[in-house]
Amino acid sequence: MPPMPSAPAGAGGMRGPSTFDKWKMGALMGGSVGLIMGFVFGGFNIIRYGAGPNGVMRTLGQYMLGSAATFGFFMSIGSVIRTEGSSPTITEAYARARRQPILIPKQHARRPREGQ
């Protein structure tokens, strides 16, 4: 993937990738993984059950494209959702909810000693 273009001078420095860039990156990663998984499972099914009337290449291509489209779709949505919440308010609320509870030890009443 080519490097991100730099921001114009005076724009406050470099900026991170946009939401669309994150969506594209998720789709490309998911599509790549889906192609490989489609090749593995499609090849296994062709060896096990045969190619059918469409032939080996067409059947394998259908497995690969179907898997790539499905996995790429969900990975792109997941990568956008995962990186969308960069608000400081949300981050602070999450940190407060996940902190360790404050435990106060129970105060026992002191009993007088025997013989006193």
PDB file of all heavy atoms in Angstrom, residues 11-52:
ATOM      1  N   ALA A  11      -1.411  22.679   8.604  1.00  0.00           N
ATOM      2  CA  ALA A  11      -2.646  21.929   8.869  1.00  0.00           C
ATOM      3  C   ALA A  11      -2.581  21.196  10.192  1.00  0.00           C
ATOM      4  O   ALA A  11      -3.453  20.408  10.488  1.00  0.00           O
ATOM      5  CB  ALA A  11      -2.913  20.951   7.737  1.00  0.00           C
ATOM      6  N   GLY A  12      -1.550  21.423  10.970  1.00  0.00           N
ATOM      7  CA  GLY A  12      -1.477  20.778  12.272  1.00  0.00           C
ATOM      8  C   GLY A  12      -0.737  19.456  12.243  1.00  0.00           C
ATOM      9  O   GLY A  12      -0.917  18.630  13.110  1.00  0.00           O
ATOM     10  N   GLY A  13       0.076  19.210  11.248  1.00  0.00           N
ATOM     11  CA  GLY A  13       0.861  17.985  11.204  1.00  0.00           C
ATOM     12  C   GLY A  13       0.157  16.871  10.444  1.00  0.00           C
ATOM     13  O   GLY A  13      -0.830  17.083   9.757  1.00  0.00           O
ATOM     14  N   MET A  14       0.702  15.682  10.590  1.00  0.00           N
ATOM     15  CA  MET A  14       0.166  14.526   9.868  1.00  0.00           C
ATOM     16  C   MET A  14      -1.153  14.082  10.475  1.00  0.00           C
ATOM     17  O   MET A  14      -1.352  14.180  11.671  1.00  0.00           O
ATOM     18  CB  MET A  14       1.167  13.367   9.932  1.00  0.00           C
ATOM     19  CG  MET A  14       2.470  13.647   9.250  1.00  0.00           C
ATOM     20  SD  MET A  14       2.333  13.760   7.487  1.00  0.00           S
ATOM     21  CE  MET A  14       1.992  12.080   7.089  1.00  0.00           C
ATOM     22  N   ARG A  15      -2.004  13.574   9.636  1.00  0.00           N
ATOM     23  CA  ARG A  15      -3.283  13.063  10.092  1.00  0.00           C
ATOM     24  C   ARG A  15      -3.330  11.575   9.827  1.00  0.00           C
ATOM     25  O   ARG A  15      -2.660  11.068   8.948  1.00  0.00           O
ATOM     26  CB  ARG A  15      -4.418  13.744   9.364  1.00  0.00           C
ATOM     27  CG  ARG A  15      -4.413  15.208   9.667  1.00  0.00           C
ATOM     28  CD  ARG A  15      -5.629  15.872   9.242  1.00  0.00           C
ATOM     29  NE  ARG A  15      -5.430  17.270   9.641  1.00  0.00           N
ATOM     30  CZ  ARG A  15      -6.319  18.180   9.548  1.00  0.00           C
ATOM     31  NH1 ARG A  15      -7.466  17.904   9.043  1.00  0.00           N
ATOM     32  NH2 ARG A  15      -6.080  19.395   9.930  1.00  0.00           N
ATOM     33  N   GLY A  16      -4.166  10.889  10.577  1.00  0.00           N
ATOM     34  CA  GLY A  16      -4.321   9.455  10.402  1.00  0.00           C
ATOM     35  C   GLY A  16      -5.183   9.146   9.195  1.00  0.00           C
ATOM     36  O   GLY A  16      -5.702  10.037   8.525  1.00  0.00           O
ATOM     37  N   PRO A  17      -5.337   7.884   8.905  1.00  0.00           N
ATOM     38  CA  PRO A  17      -6.160   7.497   7.764  1.00  0.00           C
ATOM     39  C   PRO A  17      -7.633   7.841   7.995  1.00  0.00           C
ATOM     40  O   PRO A  17      -8.120   7.806   9.127  1.00  0.00           O
ATOM     41  CB  PRO A  17      -5.959   5.991   7.658  1.00  0.00           C
ATOM     42  CG  PRO A  17      -5.439   5.570   8.974  1.00  0.00           C
ATOM     43  CD  PRO A  17      -4.748   6.742   9.578  1.00  0.00           C
ATOM     44  N   SER A  18      -8.318   8.173   6.918  1.00  0.00           N
ATOM     45  CA  SER A  18      -9.737   8.509   7.022  1.00  0.00           C
ATOM     46  C   SER A  18     -10.557   7.235   7.231  1.00  0.00           C
ATOM     47  O   SER A  18     -10.045   6.118   7.144  1.00  0.00           O
ATOM     48  CB  SER A  18     -10.193   9.219   5.749  1.00  0.00           C
ATOM     49  OG  SER A  18     -10.154   8.325   4.659  1.00  0.00           O
ATOM     50  N   THR A  19     -11.842   7.422   7.489  1.00  0.00           N
ATOM     51  CA  THR A  19     -12.729   6.277   7.680  1.00  0.00           C
ATOM     52  C   THR A  19     -12.803   5.444   6.406  1.00  0.00           C
ATOM     53  O   THR A  19     -12.834   4.216   6.452  1.00  0.00           O
ATOM     54  CB  THR A  19     -14.131   6.764   8.082  1.00  0.00           C
ATOM     55  OG1 THR A  19     -14.012   7.561   9.257  1.00  0.00           O
ATOM     56  CG2 THR A  19     -15.056   5.596   8.377  1.00  0.00           C
ATOM     57  N   PHE A  20     -12.811   6.115   5.254  1.00  0.00           N
ATOM     58  CA  PHE A  20     -12.845   5.386   3.986  1.00  0.00           C
ATOM     59  C   PHE A  20     -11.570   4.574   3.785  1.00  0.00           C
ATOM     60  O   PHE A  20     -11.617   3.451   3.277  1.00  0.00           O
ATOM     61  CB  PHE A  20     -13.056   6.350   2.821  1.00  0.00           C
ATOM     62  CG  PHE A  20     -13.183   5.669   1.496  1.00  0.00           C
ATOM     63  CD1 PHE A  20     -14.287   4.888   1.209  1.00  0.00           C
ATOM     64  CD2 PHE A  20     -12.191   5.782   0.543  1.00  0.00           C
ATOM     65  CE1 PHE A  20     -14.410   4.249  -0.003  1.00  0.00           C
ATOM     66  CE2 PHE A  20     -12.301   5.146  -0.669  1.00  0.00           C
ATOM     67  CZ  PHE A  20     -13.411   4.377  -0.949  1.00  0.00           C
ATOM     68  N   ASP A  21     -10.423   5.146   4.182  1.00  0.00           N
ATOM     69  CA  ASP A  21      -9.163   4.398   4.082  1.00  0.00           C
ATOM     70  C   ASP A  21      -9.181   3.159   4.980  1.00  0.00           C
ATOM     71  O   ASP A  21      -8.689   2.099   4.601  1.00  0.00           O
ATOM     72  CB  ASP A  21      -7.976   5.282   4.459  1.00  0.00           C
ATOM     73  CG  ASP A  21      -7.710   6.355   3.429  1.00  0.00           C
ATOM     74  OD1 ASP A  21      -8.032   6.132   2.244  1.00  0.00           O
ATOM     75  OD2 ASP A  21      -7.187   7.424   3.805  1.00  0.00           O
ATOM     76  N   LYS A  22      -9.745   3.293   6.168  1.00  0.00           N
ATOM     77  CA  LYS A  22      -9.857   2.143   7.071  1.00  0.00           C
ATOM     78  C   LYS A  22     -10.787   1.091   6.489  1.00  0.00           C
ATOM     79  O   LYS A  22     -10.540  -0.111   6.594  1.00  0.00           O
ATOM     80  CB  LYS A  22     -10.375   2.594   8.429  1.00  0.00           C
ATOM     81  CG  LYS A  22      -9.399   3.474   9.168  1.00  0.00           C
ATOM     82  CD  LYS A  22     -10.021   4.011  10.427  1.00  0.00           C
ATOM     83  CE  LYS A  22      -9.127   5.039  11.075  1.00  0.00           C
ATOM     84  NZ  LYS A  22      -9.743   5.620  12.254  1.00  0.00           N
ATOM     85  N   TRP A  23     -11.863   1.539   5.854  1.00  0.00           N
ATOM     86  CA  TRP A  23     -12.804   0.614   5.219  1.00  0.00           C
ATOM     87  C   TRP A  23     -12.117  -0.148   4.085  1.00  0.00           C
ATOM     88  O   TRP A  23     -12.266  -1.363   3.965  1.00  0.00           O
ATOM     89  CB  TRP A  23     -13.998   1.412   4.685  1.00  0.00           C
ATOM     90  CG  TRP A  23     -15.027   0.580   4.016  1.00  0.00           C
ATOM     91  CD1 TRP A  23     -16.009  -0.146   4.605  1.00  0.00           C
ATOM     92  CD2 TRP A  23     -15.168   0.369   2.612  1.00  0.00           C
ATOM     93  NE1 TRP A  23     -16.755  -0.785   3.652  1.00  0.00           N
ATOM     94  CE2 TRP A  23     -16.258  -0.487   2.424  1.00  0.00           C
ATOM     95  CE3 TRP A  23     -14.466   0.829   1.503  1.00  0.00           C
ATOM     96  CZ2 TRP A  23     -16.670  -0.897   1.172  1.00  0.00           C
ATOM     97  CZ3 TRP A  23     -14.880   0.422   0.248  1.00  0.00           C
ATOM     98  CH2 TRP A  23     -15.967  -0.436   0.107  1.00  0.00           C
ATOM     99  N   LYS A  24     -11.348   0.582   3.251  1.00  0.00           N
ATOM    100  CA  LYS A  24     -10.627  -0.067   2.149  1.00  0.00           C
ATOM    101  C   LYS A  24      -9.603  -1.071   2.669  1.00  0.00           C
ATOM    102  O   LYS A  24      -9.474  -2.169   2.123  1.00  0.00           O
ATOM    103  CB  LYS A  24      -9.903   0.981   1.297  1.00  0.00           C
ATOM    104  CG  LYS A  24     -10.781   1.769   0.381  1.00  0.00           C
ATOM    105  CD  LYS A  24      -9.983   2.594  -0.602  1.00  0.00           C
ATOM    106  CE  LYS A  24      -8.992   3.479   0.076  1.00  0.00           C
ATOM    107  NZ  LYS A  24      -8.282   4.388  -0.832  1.00  0.00           N
ATOM    108  N   MET A  25      -8.883  -0.677   3.717  1.00  0.00           N
ATOM    109  CA  MET A  25      -7.875  -1.574   4.264  1.00  0.00           C
ATOM    110  C   MET A  25      -8.509  -2.846   4.816  1.00  0.00           C
ATOM    111  O   MET A  25      -7.995  -3.948   4.612  1.00  0.00           O
ATOM    112  CB  MET A  25      -7.089  -0.854   5.362  1.00  0.00           C
ATOM    113  CG  MET A  25      -5.831  -1.556   5.742  1.00  0.00           C
ATOM    114  SD  MET A  25      -4.756  -0.694   6.921  1.00  0.00           S
ATOM    115  CE  MET A  25      -5.382   0.927   7.060  1.00  0.00           C
ATOM    116  N   GLY A  26      -9.631  -2.705   5.508  1.00  0.00           N
ATOM    117  CA  GLY A  26     -10.332  -3.878   6.020  1.00  0.00           C
ATOM    118  C   GLY A  26     -10.847  -4.760   4.906  1.00  0.00           C
ATOM    119  O   GLY A  26     -10.787  -5.992   4.979  1.00  0.00           O
ATOM    120  N   ALA A  27     -11.368  -4.136   3.847  1.00  0.00           N
ATOM    121  CA  ALA A  27     -11.872  -4.918   2.717  1.00  0.00           C
ATOM    122  C   ALA A  27     -10.742  -5.668   2.017  1.00  0.00           C
ATOM    123  O   ALA A  27     -10.904  -6.830   1.627  1.00  0.00           O
ATOM    124  CB  ALA A  27     -12.599  -4.005   1.727  1.00  0.00           C
ATOM    125  N   LEU A  28      -9.590  -5.035   1.855  1.00  0.00           N
ATOM    126  CA  LEU A  28      -8.458  -5.701   1.203  1.00  0.00           C
ATOM    127  C   LEU A  28      -7.918  -6.851   2.055  1.00  0.00           C
ATOM    128  O   LEU A  28      -7.627  -7.936   1.532  1.00  0.00           O
ATOM    129  CB  LEU A  28      -7.342  -4.696   0.921  1.00  0.00           C
ATOM    130  CG  LEU A  28      -7.594  -3.753  -0.244  1.00  0.00           C
ATOM    131  CD1 LEU A  28      -6.504  -2.697  -0.326  1.00  0.00           C
ATOM    132  CD2 LEU A  28      -7.658  -4.530  -1.537  1.00  0.00           C
ATOM    133  N   MET A  29      -7.795  -6.617   3.346  1.00  0.00           N
ATOM    134  CA  MET A  29      -7.306  -7.701   4.217  1.00  0.00           C
ATOM    135  C   MET A  29      -8.301  -8.848   4.255  1.00  0.00           C
ATOM    136  O   MET A  29      -7.920 -10.017   4.157  1.00  0.00           O
ATOM    137  CB  MET A  29      -7.063  -7.174   5.629  1.00  0.00           C
ATOM    138  CG  MET A  29      -5.859  -6.279   5.730  1.00  0.00           C
ATOM    139  SD  MET A  29      -5.372  -5.871   7.418  1.00  0.00           S
ATOM    140  CE  MET A  29      -6.870  -5.335   8.160  1.00  0.00           C
ATOM    141  N   GLY A  30      -9.582  -8.529   4.402  1.00  0.00           N
ATOM    142  CA  GLY A  30     -10.597  -9.573   4.437  1.00  0.00           C
ATOM    143  C   GLY A  30     -10.704 -10.312   3.119  1.00  0.00           C
ATOM    144  O   GLY A  30     -10.885 -11.533   3.087  1.00  0.00           O
ATOM    145  N   GLY A  31     -10.601  -9.568   2.015  1.00  0.00           N
ATOM    146  CA  GLY A  31     -10.648 -10.218   0.705  1.00  0.00           C
ATOM    147  C   GLY A  31      -9.476 -11.154   0.488  1.00  0.00           C
ATOM    148  O   GLY A  31      -9.624 -12.243  -0.072  1.00  0.00           O
ATOM    149  N   SER A  32      -8.304 -10.740   0.941  1.00  0.00           N
ATOM    150  CA  SER A  32      -7.117 -11.600   0.796  1.00  0.00           C
ATOM    151  C   SER A  32      -7.260 -12.882   1.604  1.00  0.00           C
ATOM    152  O   SER A  32      -6.990 -13.987   1.106  1.00  0.00           O
ATOM    153  CB  SER A  32      -5.863 -10.844   1.258  1.00  0.00           C
ATOM    154  OG  SER A  32      -5.689  -9.680   0.510  1.00  0.00           O
ATOM    155  N   VAL A  33      -7.681 -12.734   2.842  1.00  0.00           N
ATOM    156  CA  VAL A  33      -7.865 -13.918   3.690  1.00  0.00           C
ATOM    157  C   VAL A  33      -8.978 -14.796   3.122  1.00  0.00           C
ATOM    158  O   VAL A  33      -8.871 -16.025   3.104  1.00  0.00           O
ATOM    159  CB  VAL A  33      -8.169 -13.499   5.145  1.00  0.00           C
ATOM    160  CG1 VAL A  33      -8.575 -14.691   5.988  1.00  0.00           C
ATOM    161  CG2 VAL A  33      -6.966 -12.810   5.754  1.00  0.00           C
ATOM    162  N   GLY A  34     -10.051 -14.173   2.631  1.00  0.00           N
ATOM    163  CA  GLY A  34     -11.156 -14.930   2.046  1.00  0.00           C
ATOM    164  C   GLY A  34     -10.738 -15.698   0.805  1.00  0.00           C
ATOM    165  O   GLY A  34     -11.186 -16.832   0.590  1.00  0.00           O
ATOM    166  N   LEU A  35      -9.890 -15.097  -0.030  1.00  0.00           N
ATOM    167  CA  LEU A  35      -9.396 -15.813  -1.213  1.00  0.00           C
ATOM    168  C   LEU A  35      -8.609 -17.055  -0.814  1.00  0.00           C
ATOM    169  O   LEU A  35      -8.792 -18.136  -1.390  1.00  0.00           O
ATOM    170  CB  LEU A  35      -8.509 -14.901  -2.056  1.00  0.00           C
ATOM    171  CG  LEU A  35      -9.196 -13.987  -3.040  1.00  0.00           C
ATOM    172  CD1 LEU A  35      -8.181 -13.059  -3.693  1.00  0.00           C
ATOM    173  CD2 LEU A  35      -9.948 -14.770  -4.087  1.00  0.00           C
ATOM    174  N   ILE A  36      -7.747 -16.896   0.155  1.00  0.00           N
ATOM    175  CA  ILE A  36      -6.928 -18.032   0.589  1.00  0.00           C
ATOM    176  C   ILE A  36      -7.800 -19.120   1.208  1.00  0.00           C
ATOM    177  O   ILE A  36      -7.643 -20.316   0.905  1.00  0.00           O
ATOM    178  CB  ILE A  36      -5.845 -17.556   1.567  1.00  0.00           C
ATOM    179  CG1 ILE A  36      -4.860 -16.650   0.837  1.00  0.00           C
ATOM    180  CG2 ILE A  36      -5.119 -18.732   2.204  1.00  0.00           C
ATOM    181  CD1 ILE A  36      -3.916 -15.900   1.726  1.00  0.00           C
ATOM    182  N   MET A  37      -8.738 -18.721   2.057  1.00  0.00           N
ATOM    183  CA  MET A  37      -9.609 -19.717   2.684  1.00  0.00           C
ATOM    184  C   MET A  37     -10.517 -20.379   1.645  1.00  0.00           C
ATOM    185  O   MET A  37     -10.802 -21.573   1.734  1.00  0.00           O
ATOM    186  CB  MET A  37     -10.452 -19.072   3.790  1.00  0.00           C
ATOM    187  CG  MET A  37      -9.627 -18.575   4.962  1.00  0.00           C
ATOM    188  SD  MET A  37      -8.536 -19.818   5.664  1.00  0.00           S
ATOM    189  CE  MET A  37      -9.717 -20.946   6.334  1.00  0.00           C
ATOM    190  N   GLY A  38     -10.989 -19.615   0.669  1.00  0.00           N
ATOM    191  CA  GLY A  38     -11.785 -20.200  -0.405  1.00  0.00           C
ATOM    192  C   GLY A  38     -10.986 -21.199  -1.227  1.00  0.00           C
ATOM    193  O   GLY A  38     -11.507 -22.230  -1.653  1.00  0.00           O
ATOM    194  N   PHE A  39      -9.705 -20.885  -1.439  1.00  0.00           N
ATOM    195  CA  PHE A  39      -8.853 -21.818  -2.164  1.00  0.00           C
ATOM    196  C   PHE A  39      -8.673 -23.118  -1.379  1.00  0.00           C
ATOM    197  O   PHE A  39      -8.779 -24.214  -1.939  1.00  0.00           O
ATOM    198  CB  PHE A  39      -7.488 -21.180  -2.447  1.00  0.00           C
ATOM    199  CG  PHE A  39      -6.531 -22.080  -3.154  1.00  0.00           C
ATOM    200  CD1 PHE A  39      -6.666 -22.316  -4.500  1.00  0.00           C
ATOM    201  CD2 PHE A  39      -5.510 -22.699  -2.460  1.00  0.00           C
ATOM    202  CE1 PHE A  39      -5.785 -23.160  -5.166  1.00  0.00           C
ATOM    203  CE2 PHE A  39      -4.628 -23.545  -3.101  1.00  0.00           C
ATOM    204  CZ  PHE A  39      -4.766 -23.775  -4.471  1.00  0.00           C
ATOM    205  N   VAL A  40      -8.432 -22.992  -0.081  1.00  0.00           N
ATOM    206  CA  VAL A  40      -8.209 -24.179   0.754  1.00  0.00           C
ATOM    207  C   VAL A  40      -9.474 -25.031   0.824  1.00  0.00           C
ATOM    208  O   VAL A  40      -9.457 -26.234   0.531  1.00  0.00           O
ATOM    209  CB  VAL A  40      -7.730 -23.773   2.165  1.00  0.00           C
ATOM    210  CG1 VAL A  40      -7.740 -24.962   3.104  1.00  0.00           C
ATOM    211  CG2 VAL A  40      -6.349 -23.156   2.094  1.00  0.00           C
ATOM    212  N   PHE A  41     -10.600 -24.414   1.227  1.00  0.00           N
ATOM    213  CA  PHE A  41     -11.833 -25.184   1.391  1.00  0.00           C
ATOM    214  C   PHE A  41     -12.402 -25.631   0.047  1.00  0.00           C
ATOM    215  O   PHE A  41     -12.927 -26.744  -0.071  1.00  0.00           O
ATOM    216  CB  PHE A  41     -12.874 -24.375   2.160  1.00  0.00           C
ATOM    217  CG  PHE A  41     -12.535 -24.217   3.611  1.00  0.00           C
ATOM    218  CD1 PHE A  41     -12.467 -22.960   4.187  1.00  0.00           C
ATOM    219  CD2 PHE A  41     -12.268 -25.317   4.401  1.00  0.00           C
ATOM    220  CE1 PHE A  41     -12.149 -22.814   5.520  1.00  0.00           C
ATOM    221  CE2 PHE A  41     -11.954 -25.179   5.741  1.00  0.00           C
ATOM    222  CZ  PHE A  41     -11.889 -23.919   6.298  1.00  0.00           C
ATOM    223  N   GLY A  42     -12.313 -24.764  -0.957  1.00  0.00           N
ATOM    224  CA  GLY A  42     -12.796 -25.149  -2.281  1.00  0.00           C
ATOM    225  C   GLY A  42     -11.991 -26.301  -2.862  1.00  0.00           C
ATOM    226  O   GLY A  42     -12.549 -27.242  -3.428  1.00  0.00           O
ATOM    227  N   GLY A  43     -10.665 -26.222  -2.725  1.00  0.00           N
ATOM    228  CA  GLY A  43      -9.824 -27.316  -3.210  1.00  0.00           C
ATOM    229  C   GLY A  43     -10.119 -28.621  -2.487  1.00  0.00           C
ATOM    230  O   GLY A  43     -10.192 -29.693  -3.101  1.00  0.00           O
ATOM    231  N   PHE A  44     -10.320 -28.522  -1.188  1.00  0.00           N
ATOM    232  CA  PHE A  44     -10.646 -29.726  -0.406  1.00  0.00           C
ATOM    233  C   PHE A  44     -11.978 -30.321  -0.866  1.00  0.00           C
ATOM    234  O   PHE A  44     -12.093 -31.539  -1.037  1.00  0.00           O
ATOM    235  CB  PHE A  44     -10.696 -29.382   1.084  1.00  0.00           C
ATOM    236  CG  PHE A  44     -11.027 -30.554   1.954  1.00  0.00           C
ATOM    237  CD1 PHE A  44     -10.089 -31.542   2.205  1.00  0.00           C
ATOM    238  CD2 PHE A  44     -12.287 -30.677   2.510  1.00  0.00           C
ATOM    239  CE1 PHE A  44     -10.394 -32.625   3.004  1.00  0.00           C
ATOM    240  CE2 PHE A  44     -12.608 -31.757   3.312  1.00  0.00           C
ATOM    241  CZ  PHE A  44     -11.656 -32.737   3.563  1.00  0.00           C
ATOM    242  N   ASN A  45     -12.983 -29.479  -1.063  1.00  0.00           N
ATOM    243  CA  ASN A  45     -14.287 -29.988  -1.496  1.00  0.00           C
ATOM    244  C   ASN A  45     -14.251 -30.547  -2.913  1.00  0.00           C
ATOM    245  O   ASN A  45     -14.948 -31.525  -3.217  1.00  0.00           O
ATOM    246  CB  ASN A  45     -15.348 -28.891  -1.392  1.00  0.00           C
ATOM    247  CG  ASN A  45     -15.840 -28.718   0.019  1.00  0.00           C
ATOM    248  OD1 ASN A  45     -15.766 -29.628   0.827  1.00  0.00           O
ATOM    249  ND2 ASN A  45     -16.327 -27.534   0.322  1.00  0.00           N
ATOM    250  N   ILE A  46     -13.455 -29.939  -3.782  1.00  0.00           N
ATOM    251  CA  ILE A  46     -13.335 -30.474  -5.143  1.00  0.00           C
ATOM    252  C   ILE A  46     -12.657 -31.834  -5.112  1.00  0.00           C
ATOM    253  O   ILE A  46     -13.067 -32.765  -5.814  1.00  0.00           O
ATOM    254  CB  ILE A  46     -12.575 -29.475  -6.043  1.00  0.00           C
ATOM    255  CG1 ILE A  46     -13.461 -28.264  -6.319  1.00  0.00           C
ATOM    256  CG2 ILE A  46     -12.153 -30.135  -7.346  1.00  0.00           C
ATOM    257  CD1 ILE A  46     -12.765 -27.142  -7.036  1.00  0.00           C
ATOM    258  N   ILE A  47     -11.619 -31.975  -4.294  1.00  0.00           N
ATOM    259  CA  ILE A  47     -10.954 -33.276  -4.185  1.00  0.00           C
ATOM    260  C   ILE A  47     -11.901 -34.308  -3.586  1.00  0.00           C
ATOM    261  O   ILE A  47     -11.953 -35.455  -4.023  1.00  0.00           O
ATOM    262  CB  ILE A  47      -9.667 -33.147  -3.337  1.00  0.00           C
ATOM    263  CG1 ILE A  47      -8.624 -32.338  -4.102  1.00  0.00           C
ATOM    264  CG2 ILE A  47      -9.120 -34.507  -2.953  1.00  0.00           C
ATOM    265  CD1 ILE A  47      -7.417 -31.952  -3.288  1.00  0.00           C
ATOM    266  N   ARG A  48     -12.674 -33.886  -2.604  1.00  0.00           N
ATOM    267  CA  ARG A  48     -13.535 -34.826  -1.892  1.00  0.00           C
ATOM    268  C   ARG A  48     -14.781 -35.209  -2.688  1.00  0.00           C
ATOM    269  O   ARG A  48     -15.157 -36.370  -2.755  1.00  0.00           O
ATOM    270  CB  ARG A  48     -13.942 -34.213  -0.565  1.00  0.00           C
ATOM    271  CG  ARG A  48     -14.633 -35.170   0.351  1.00  0.00           C
ATOM    272  CD  ARG A  48     -14.682 -34.617   1.739  1.00  0.00           C
ATOM    273  NE  ARG A  48     -15.330 -35.586   2.612  1.00  0.00           N
ATOM    274  CZ  ARG A  48     -15.752 -35.326   3.809  1.00  0.00           C
ATOM    275  NH1 ARG A  48     -15.591 -34.131   4.297  1.00  0.00           N
ATOM    276  NH2 ARG A  48     -16.330 -36.249   4.538  1.00  0.00           N
ATOM    277  N   TYR A  49     -15.470 -34.209  -3.269  1.00  0.00           N
ATOM    278  CA  TYR A  49     -16.758 -34.475  -3.920  1.00  0.00           C
ATOM    279  C   TYR A  49     -16.735 -34.339  -5.439  1.00  0.00           C
ATOM    280  O   TYR A  49     -17.728 -34.626  -6.091  1.00  0.00           O
ATOM    281  CB  TYR A  49     -17.829 -33.519  -3.365  1.00  0.00           C
ATOM    282  CG  TYR A  49     -18.037 -33.653  -1.882  1.00  0.00           C
ATOM    283  CD1 TYR A  49     -17.704 -32.617  -1.020  1.00  0.00           C
ATOM    284  CD2 TYR A  49     -18.553 -34.825  -1.340  1.00  0.00           C
ATOM    285  CE1 TYR A  49     -17.895 -32.736   0.343  1.00  0.00           C
ATOM    286  CE2 TYR A  49     -18.740 -34.958   0.029  1.00  0.00           C
ATOM    287  CZ  TYR A  49     -18.409 -33.909   0.851  1.00  0.00           C
ATOM    288  OH  TYR A  49     -18.592 -34.047   2.207  1.00  0.00           O
ATOM    289  N   GLY A  50     -15.657 -33.853  -6.013  1.00  0.00           N
ATOM    290  CA  GLY A  50     -15.591 -33.665  -7.455  1.00  0.00           C
ATOM    291  C   GLY A  50     -16.010 -32.246  -7.828  1.00  0.00           C
ATOM    292  O   GLY A  50     -16.638 -31.518  -7.053  1.00  0.00           O
ATOM    293  N   ALA A  51     -15.687 -31.864  -9.043  1.00  0.00           N
ATOM    294  CA  ALA A  51     -15.927 -30.492  -9.491  1.00  0.00           C
ATOM    295  C   ALA A  51     -17.359 -30.254  -9.931  1.00  0.00           C
ATOM    296  O   ALA A  51     -17.843 -29.133  -9.897  1.00  0.00           O
ATOM    297  CB  ALA A  51     -14.983 -30.145 -10.626  1.00  0.00           C
ATOM    298  N   GLY A  52     -18.048 -31.278 -10.359  1.00  0.00           N
ATOM    299  CA  GLY A  52     -19.413 -31.091 -10.837  1.00  0.00           C
ATOM    300  C   GLY A  52     -19.430 -30.659 -12.294  1.00  0.00           C
ATOM    301  O   GLY A  52     -18.415 -30.709 -12.993  1.00  0.00           O
TER     302      GLY A  52
END
